Amino acid sequence: MSVALRERPEVDAGAASVPIDFLVLGAQKCGTTWIHHVLSQHPGVFIPPAKELHFFNKSSALSRGCGWYADQFAAAGAGQLRGECTPNYLWNHLDPRDRTVPGEHHDLAPKLAELRPQLRLVATLRNPVDRAISAFHHHINQGRIAPDARILDHLWTLGIASMGMYARHLRHWIDAFGREPLMVLIYEQDVAPDTVKPATAQRLFAHLGLAPFEVPSLYEQLNARRSYLAMRLARHLPPSGLAGRVVRRGIDTITPARVDRLFRFAVSKEERVELSRLFAPHQAELEALLGRPMPWG
């Protein structure tokens, strides 16, 4: 089901056409926005302000050509490491039940390893049940799924389940690059608690070969949840983009919490149990791959 990078619009001219030193691979809804925020503050790093370039995994971006991709890093200073953060890069294997996404590509690592064998990689993982629910709500907020839908009816839509089958995705990158270039962070242990953020930032810098740096801004709230009312109205709002974001934020701002509670929806306990059963063998596979237990029960 996956399509090799070399079978798509060609990434040409070798390593010079892919001017990056690192990639933050994802996973989606696992703290990559915080990682992007931290890296953007280090003086030794250039990371494009626009997170999620999707150059290697979407036909619409790849068709713009390597010149467009190189232009995203044209403002990098001499000696700065260049990299980007696109959470879907981690999603490299579809489950047979997945509904394919037009224009979404997988099997990224082999060609990238050929072009940039010294690439440094960062992945961050989260309890796959929580990640799936967060992704489900994200797609509701984008108007792709109805707010009263059941998550179990959409597991194989837009990678909601398969993105959380982490071992198969990590193995894809390890097979191409080896284990050493890949840093794996666990959201609940390394990203979410404020007490660990300074140490995690320094570990991230060290992994990329950067000097220690005291990050000015570590604790801002990023990617706050949309109001339930905004999510319920999402299908009737402008699509993703500036207009859609402005309207959604306006609804968030003017809706009192006591009113928003009236529009609440949630994944049931029974659905969480089913999700846990689905991910249990994949968690065991991940623990064997990484050689350590996960903090997810």
Side-chain angles (χ1 to χ4, degrees):
M1 294 179 109
S2 58
V3 182
L5 195 60
R6 55 174 54 86
E7 294 171 356
R8 297 179 243 143
E10 189 63 35
V11 174
D12 55 16
S17 66
V18 185
I20 49 174
D21 303 294
F22 68 87
L23 284 176
V24 180
L25 306 173
Q28 184 193 81
K29 316 310 292 183
C30 293
T32 54
T33 298
W34 180 80
I35 293 172
H36 181 278
H37 176 67
V38 167
L39 289 174
S40 68
Q41 296 176 75
H42 195 293
V45 171
F46 179 85
I47 191 165
K51 180 173 171 275
E52 303 189 27
L53 297 181
H54 287 287
F55 182 67
F56 301 107
N57 71 306
K58 288 190 181 294
S59 293
S60 57
L62 196 56
S63 65
R64 295 173 176 175
C66 290
W68 174 87
Y69 190 64
D71 286 345
Q72 308 311 302
F73 303 92
Q80 282 187 307
L81 294 183
R82 295 163 295 182
E84 58 131 330
C85 176
T86 299
N88 280 28
Y89 288 164
L90 189 66
W91 186 30
N92 275 280
H93 288 279
L94 297 179
D95 187 276
R97 293 163 285 187
D98 268 310
R99 302 179 192 115
T100 56
V101 180
E104 180 89 29
H105 299 299
H106 308 276
D107 196 25
L108 312 182
K111 184 63 176 180
L112 276 168
E114 177 185 324
L115 293 173
R116 304 293 293 187
Q118 303 307 314
L119 204 63
R120 306 296 285 177
L121 307 169
V122 179
T124 177
L125 313 178
R126 177 184 183 183
N127 182 323
V129 173
D130 294 336
R131 196 222 72 81
I133 293 171
S134 182
F136 178 61
H137 287 167
H138 169 76
H139 294 306
I140 290 173
N141 185 53
Q142 296 302 312
R144 300 173 187 134
I145 295 175
D148 293 319
R150 295 174 69 248
I151 190 172
L152 297 182
D153 294 331
H154 287 275
L155 291 181
W156 311 110
T157 302
L158 299 163
I160 285 173
S162 63
M163 282 189 188
M165 298 171 177
Y166 301 129
R168 62 178 62 176
H169 307 309
L170 291 177
R171 190 174 288 112
H172 170 84
W173 290 93
I174 292 169
D175 286 348
F177 285 91
R179 178 66 182 88
E180 191 278 330
L182 173 65
M183 180 183 197
V184 178
L185 299 173
I186 305 302
Y187 176 80
E188 293 84 354
Q189 293 177 330
D190 301 317
V191 177
D194 282 348
T195 53
V196 304
K197 283 181 167 69
T200 298
Q202 299 310 317
R203 288 170 52 209
L204 180 61
F205 298 152
H207 176 70
L208 298 180
L210 295 161
F213 176 70
E214 187 173 340
V215 181
S217 170
L218 277 173
Y219 304 107
E220 279 82 356
Q221 184 177 9
L222 305 166
N223 283 346
R225 181 187 63 79
R226 296 272 78 89
S227 68
Y228 290 109
L229 177 58
M231 288 195 282
R232 284 189 178 276
L233 294 175
R235 289 193 156 193
H236 309 287
L237 299 177
S240 295
L242 179 59
R245 290 196 299 272
V246 168
V247 173
R248 286 171 174 81
R249 287 171 184 165
I251 294 171
D252 294 344
T253 300
I254 67 174
T255 306
R258 67 181 183 278
V259 174
D260 195 50
R261 284 196 293 270
L262 301 175
F263 298 93
R264 189 175 185 275
F265 53 86
V267 171
S268 70
K269 291 181 180 179
E270 293 75 17
E271 289 173 312
R272 289 189 67 97
V273 169
E274 288 301 313
L275 289 169
S276 295
R277 288 175 180 157
L278 172 67
F279 288 119
H282 298 281
Q283 180 173 328
E285 186 181 357
L286 175 67
E287 292 175 340
L289 177 66
L290 299 183
R292 56 176 163 140
M294 294 295 107
W296 305 323

